Each structure stands twice: as C-alpha cells, then as structure tokens.
Amino acid sequence: MEIPKNITVGVLAIQGDFERHLAQLDSLGVPHREVRLAADLDRIDGLILPGGESTTMDIMIDRFKLREPLTRFCRTKPVYGTCAGMILLSRLIRDNQSRVKPLNIIDIEVLRNGYGRQLFSSDERLEVNLGNGTKHVEATFIRAPKIVAIGSGVEVLARRGTDPVLVKSGKALASAFHNELGGETAILRHFLTHYFV
Ligand code: GLN
C-alpha cells in the first residue's frame, strides 16, 4: 500500500523526542507540522504523540490549552503514540501517583515504567503483525510503560513475551517501545498507509 498523497502529519512538539519523528516523516517525504497550539490541529490530518516524559507533557497540555481540542482530535483522526505518547492515549494509568490525566482514546490500562525505572535500551527484534503477515522490527524499551489490561475493541499487533506492546483501536495505534530511534520506518509506514483512509 502507498502512503496517501496530500496528508499533513502533526507531531506533538511540547516535550520529548518529537524531532526524531519529524525527521522520519521527512525521510518519507510526508508533509509535517509541529503541534503546540490548538490551531495547529486544524492544519493536520493525523498526529504522532512521541516518547518523553508523560508527567511533563500532561502539564504542558494544560498550559497550552490543548486538552479539549487534542482529545477531540484523537477521538476521530489517525493518531500514533509511542511510549509516553501511549500513556497519554490510554484509558487508565495504574498506581497513578503523578496524577497524569490520560486522554482515554485506547481502552488499555498502563503502568508507567512497568519494566523497571532503569534506562535500559534493549534493541530487541520483535515480531509484529502489520496486516500483511508478520515482520520483525527493532523495539527499544526506555523506561517503557507496561500494558496491564486491554479492552475488547483493542487489537494486539505485537507482544513481548505475553505482554501486549503494540496495539490498535480504530484509527489509534500505540507502542510501548520506540521503533524510530534506529531510523527504522516500518511502524510509521504501517500507520501512514493503513490509518488515513
Ligand atoms: N517513563 C516515561 C513516562 O512515564 C516514558 C518513557 C518514554 O517515553 N520513553 O512518561
């Protein structure tokens, strides 16, 4: 499948590794835009929520008055959250001592830093199901959230052991890991080709 023409993809650019995602979009020739203000959402067709620190993003979302427009956008448009971005897209955060307010887009419960607090960068090869058979992708877990419960409408596209780590619900995709750090575009391409229809 081809990447659709005439789409502009936004990247939430208030904190975290948004530049890496912008570079990835650039490498694929996809028009993109940094999103910081509600008005930016009117100029994009889909959004990537990057990894970083969900506590900081949560504060900034309120500071930039993004919560309501961002939630509305994520309910109907293609969105792809990685790591902290997945935390934001979840329905519930377990043991939520930092009181991060998830946007409730994907019916998953997550545990922040669920694989331990240490920065461990494991570059595993994970088997993923991206719609046309299984494939192996690079998966880097950095203080990654663990998915501890999933709702019935959620499709699991990859697991690490028994844990779901790549999930899809409607037009929303989320990974507990980073796939963009080594320059791989497999999951981004899957998002661009399958979610903008
Ligand atoms: N531990 C971070 C958080 O809770 C997520 C880490 C990441 O995005 N790589 O927000």
Side-chain angles (χ1 to χ4, degrees):
M1 274 173 96
E2 299 264 304
I3 296 173
K5 306 267 179 277
N6 308 321
I7 58 167
T8 300
V9 177
V11 181
L12 188 64
I14 51 181
Q15 195 270 335
D17 86 327
F18 56 90
E19 281 181 355
R20 190 69 70 134
H21 289 282
L22 292 164
Q24 294 273 69
L25 289 164
D26 226 22
S27 77
L28 296 177
V30 177
H32 49 74
R33 183 180 190 95
E34 296 181 15
V35 170
R36 291 192 185 82
L37 305 170
D40 297 323
L41 294 168
D42 298 335
R43 299 185 178 89
I44 57 168
D45 303 293
L47 179 69
I48 295 172
L49 297 92
E53 191 49 56
S54 57
T55 48
T56 311
M57 290 186 194
D58 183 64
I59 292 166
M60 301 305 271
I61 284 170
D62 286 326
R63 194 165 294 169
F64 288 124
K65 299 192 168 41
L66 267 176
R67 186 159 309 270
E68 195 269 331
L70 181 62
T71 306
R72 209 164 356 103
F73 185 94
C74 292
R75 279 193 191 134
T76 53
K77 300 285 174 74
V79 289
Y80 167 29
T82 64
C83 214
M86 181 180 91
I87 295 171
L88 294 179
L89 292 177
S90 72
R91 177 177 58 78
L92 188 120
I93 300 167
R94 283 260 176 100
D95 300 331
N96 191 6
Q97 284 152 14
S98 306
R99 308 221 167 135
V100 173
K101 303 174 285 305
L103 302 173
N104 189 14
I105 303 302
I106 302 181
D107 189 2
I108 52 174
E109 289 184 28
V110 301
L111 184 63
R112 291 182 58 222
N113 307 309
Y115 295 96
R117 290 202 63 85
Q118 79 279 20
L119 189 137
F120 90 94
S121 184
S122 54
D123 288 338
E124 293 174 38
R125 300 299 290 176
L126 276 188
E127 194 173 281
V128 299
N129 178 1
L130 299 179
N132 42 2
T134 54
K135 192 175 167 123
H136 286 85
V137 302
E138 190 177 284
T140 307
F141 289 83
I142 304 171
R143 297 193 304 116
K146 187 185 271 198
I147 298 177
V148 289
I150 56 172
S152 54
V154 180
E155 206 181 319
V156 177
L157 306 185
R159 290 182 190 271
R160 179 177 190 249
T162 54
D163 300 338
V165 289
L166 179 67
V167 293
K168 172 184 196 288
S169 173
K171 291 183 181 182
L173 175 71
S175 66
F177 56 88
H178 296 264
N179 174 242
E180 75 286 358
L181 296 176
E184 227 178 53
T185 53
I187 296 180
L188 175 59
R189 277 177 167 281
H190 165 74
F191 175 62
L192 295 170
T193 51
H194 289 76
Y195 293 64
F196 288 78
V197 286

